[in-house]
Amino acid sequence: MNNEQQPIIVGLDIGTTKIAAIAGRKNEFGKLEIIGFGRANSNGVKHGQVLNIDETIKAIQMALDNCYTSNPNLEISEVYVGIAGHHIKSLQTRGDIVRHQTEEEITQREIDQLISDQYKTYIPAGDQIIDVIPQEFTVDNFQNIPNPIGYGGVKVGANFHIITGDKNAIRNISRSVEKSGLITKDLVLQPLASAAAVMGQEDLEAGVAIVDIGGGTTDLAVFYEGILKHTAVIPFGGENITNDIKTGLGVLKTQAEQMKVQFGSALANEARGNAFITIPGLRGMPAKEISVKNLANIIQARMSEIMDFVTYHLKQVGLDNRTLNGGVVLTGGGSQLRHLIQLTEYVTGLNARIGFPTEHLAAGHIEELAKPTYATCIGLILKGYSDYEHNRKQFEHRFRKVEVPETLRKAAEPAETLVAAAEEEETQAEKVKNRKGIKDFWGKFKDGIIDLFKEEEDHAL
């Protein structure tokens, strides 16, 4: 299918620290081309929940304005919205239907009916069902069927993972989106969106825990044998670490955030004991010297607590280092902390890696979009495409032609062209070897320069 005939789908990630709006469209190779991108600082959201609707509306509109600035040809009316927060809960249920036309094959309509029936499941007053996700199906006496369409039988059933949230919290998100002049196409649990962006099918089969470290919460989604087994929202995130630094070291919140990003480490043993950061004094007060090792100790304490929660949830569902061969995939803004992979492996006993949303992105995009910070937003677009391709929702039949703007395309790198020209007569194997050597050399050289400047800054400050 020509990519001009594909819909443009917009993901809106309403987070504690930032609000991001990304518009994407699949190309002829099934990869996402990003044709609009905007972000804004978030002020009305705490721990993943909208508390101040007016402030949230302003931030959404600013993110949209930035998205339009990146591509003036865009028209945004419907968005897929991510949801998280302390109020999110999940439960397991079982549902069955007895078929009337037993001679015929099971159809999609019957599966849709089975899923629809689960929305009538009893949940506590004040809660609302956000999503119903089928796990393994059964047809009569046949168990563990991933997709029962085409089977024949009398009774079809399934185990379901039901995600619920507080009605008022959901209403606040919906109001913020509507008052920004948008329509919520669907609400999607943030860890599921992040999983879609950073995972391939083989990861889900192997068994994997997605840990999305956001500003206000850390979201967890656990997959095993291709099935979603567990979701949880851990009530700590990057902002808690910033507040710990602010309180523990007696600095301003902006200074704490800056120190965390520039000098922070999740492992105190990896921090240099003789390195210090100098913070200017307020209104004539003397400057304050902060030990980089003390900073790392504070970060490590909170990150260890978050990873202890992850380990607890994995044990609750009986999935640990013996069954999750895919290990832990860290994503979200908080995953960019130095030495976090080592800490995660130490606490959980599982292999760990950073999940970048490049799995489904078309080549040639700006590097900013490949950051783990935008995994949720890109996953929301993928969720929209899943709905479009499986006819779960109505989409416009005519799609406007919108080109990828130059501002979102990666600029050509002249240095790479020169290296390629110089190596014209070398064999392909030698090219690969030499490029790796150059990359390693320049990587080490750059790191050495950075360390040199850091030491000078430390002494100068």
Side-chain angles (χ1 to χ4, degrees):
M1 184 184 277
N2 191 329
N3 65 327
E4 289 170 19
Q5 297 174 302
Q6 298 274 50
I8 293 167
I9 293 172
V10 182
L12 182 66
D13 178 13
I14 301 173
T16 303
T17 52
K18 60 119 183 41
I19 289 177
I22 299 180
R25 176 191 55 210
K26 279 194 177 179
N27 63 17
E28 60 269 30
F29 307 109
K31 297 290 187 182
L32 273 186
E33 293 179 334
I34 303 304
I35 55 177
F37 166 60
R39 64 163 287 167
N41 291 333
S42 178
N43 296 319
V45 183
K46 295 290 176 195
H47 301 296
Q49 288 180 247
V50 174
L51 298 182
N52 187 322
I53 292 177
D54 288 341
E55 288 290 336
T56 305
I57 292 167
K58 283 179 193 171
I60 292 172
Q61 287 174 337
M62 188 174 286
L64 283 175
D65 288 344
N66 292 335
C67 196
Y68 287 131
T69 301
S70 76
N71 192 339
N73 296 323
L74 274 177
E75 287 178 11
I76 300 172
S77 58
E78 297 179 327
V79 289
Y80 277 79
V81 182
I83 186 168
H86 298 176
H87 61 99
I88 301 291
K89 297 189 282 289
S90 62
L91 62 133
Q92 305 290 125
T93 63
R94 170 84 199 170
D96 299 276
I97 54 170
V98 176
R99 303 180 65 228
H100 301 298
Q101 310 291 334
T102 53
E103 294 80 19
E104 295 177 11
E105 295 174 351
I106 295 168
T107 63
Q108 182 64 53
R109 188 181 57 79
E110 289 173 298
I111 301 304
D112 291 342
Q113 181 60 50
L114 180 60
I115 293 169
S116 178
D117 288 347
Q118 304 316 303
Y119 280 90
K120 298 166 189 169
T121 302
Y122 170 77
I123 57 171
D127 281 359
Q128 180 180 325
I129 293 176
I130 296 169
D131 208 351
V132 172
I133 300 160
Q135 296 175 316
E136 56 276 293
F137 289 87
T138 58
V139 177
D140 294 342
N141 294 323
F142 293 97
Q143 308 282 328
N144 300 327
I145 299 168
N147 186 358
I149 293 171
Y151 280 70
V154 176
K155 189 168 83 167
V156 58
N159 295 323
F160 292 93
H161 186 82
I162 296 181
I163 296 162
T164 68
D166 180 74
K167 275 183 184 173
N168 289 327
I170 295 167
R171 195 180 297 124
N172 284 351
I173 286 182
S174 299
R175 276 183 186 160
S176 301
V177 174
E178 284 165 19
K179 287 186 177 182
S180 303
L182 301 169
I183 298 164
T184 302
K185 193 83 171 171
D186 199 5
L187 279 175
V188 182
L189 189 66
Q190 285 183 10
L192 298 185
S194 300
V198 302
M199 287 295 98
Q201 190 56 40
E202 63 277 8
D203 296 301
L204 305 183
E205 293 290 339
V208 68
I210 313 288
V211 179
D212 184 349
I213 307 166
T217 59
T218 296
D219 307 322
L220 173 68
V222 186
F223 295 86
Y224 184 62
E225 294 182 344
I227 294 164
L228 176 67
K229 288 291 186 183
H230 186 64
T231 55
V233 176
I234 297 162
F236 302 116
E239 204 164 62
N240 295 92
I241 297 170
T242 303
N243 287 330
D244 289 349
I245 296 166
K246 171 179 169 277
T247 308
L249 300 177
V251 294
L252 297 174
K253 191 171 181 180
T254 50
Q255 294 169 338
E257 179 66 26
Q258 204 173 348
M259 283 195 291
K260 179 182 79 175
V261 172
Q262 288 187 337
F263 305 103
S265 166
L267 276 181
N269 289 343
E270 295 292 331
R272 288 183 297 164
N274 62 344
F276 292 85
I277 308 155
T278 303
I279 304 294
L282 289 172
R283 298 184 181 277
M285 297 283 283
K288 182 181 286 191
E289 284 208 333
I290 307 288
S291 162
V292 170
K293 203 166 192 70
N294 284 349
L295 176 69
N297 274 316
I298 292 169
I299 295 170
Q300 182 177 338
R302 182 63 79 176
M303 283 309 313
S304 296
E305 186 179 13
I306 290 170
M307 290 307 157
D308 283 339
F309 271 103
V310 170
T311 307
Y312 166 78
H313 281 287
L314 293 178
K315 286 180 178 172
Q316 286 286 95
V317 289
L319 295 169
D320 53 20
N321 52 8
R322 290 184 297 278
T323 47
L324 289 180
N325 295 323
V328 175
V329 178
L330 301 160
T331 191
S335 66
Q336 296 173 95
L337 262 175
R338 280 188 281 279
H339 306 117
L340 183 56
I341 291 173
Q342 293 94 313
L343 179 71
T344 302
E345 290 180 339
Y346 174 72
V347 175
T348 64
L350 290 159
N351 290 329
R353 67 179 176 87
I354 304 295
F356 296 96
T358 48
E359 179 94 8
H360 305 281
L361 281 180
H365 52 76
I366 57 171
E367 288 180 12
E368 177 73 11
L369 292 165
K371 288 183 177 178
T373 313
Y374 303 108
T376 296
C377 220
I378 287 164
L380 290 170
I381 301 172
L382 293 170
K383 171 65 167 67
Y385 263 101
S386 176
D387 286 351
Y388 170 69
E389 287 158 2
H390 294 92
N391 297 314
R392 293 194 200 101
K393 292 187 185 295
Q394 291 294 316
F395 288 84
E396 287 182 14
H397 291 292
R398 56 179 189 81
F399 308 126
R400 294 171 65 250
K401 182 178 178 180
V402 180
E403 298 292 339
V404 178
E406 286 302 318
T407 53
L408 297 181
R409 288 185 192 275
K410 189 177 183 181
E413 294 180 19
E416 284 188 3
T417 312
L418 291 173
V419 171
E423 294 174 342
E424 193 65 43
E425 296 176 3
E426 294 177 15
T427 64
Q428 194 64 29
E430 286 173 332
K431 279 185 184 181
V432 172
K433 184 181 174 185
N434 288 352
R435 277 180 190 153
K436 187 174 186 299
I438 288 167
K439 185 181 172 188
D440 289 349
F441 167 75
W442 283 110
K444 286 172 185 171
F445 178 73
K446 184 182 76 173
D447 290 344
I449 291 290
I450 288 168
D451 285 341
L452 185 67
F453 276 111
K454 273 188 183 172
E455 283 178 13
E456 286 184 6
E457 282 172 10
D458 290 341
H459 291 303
L461 293 168

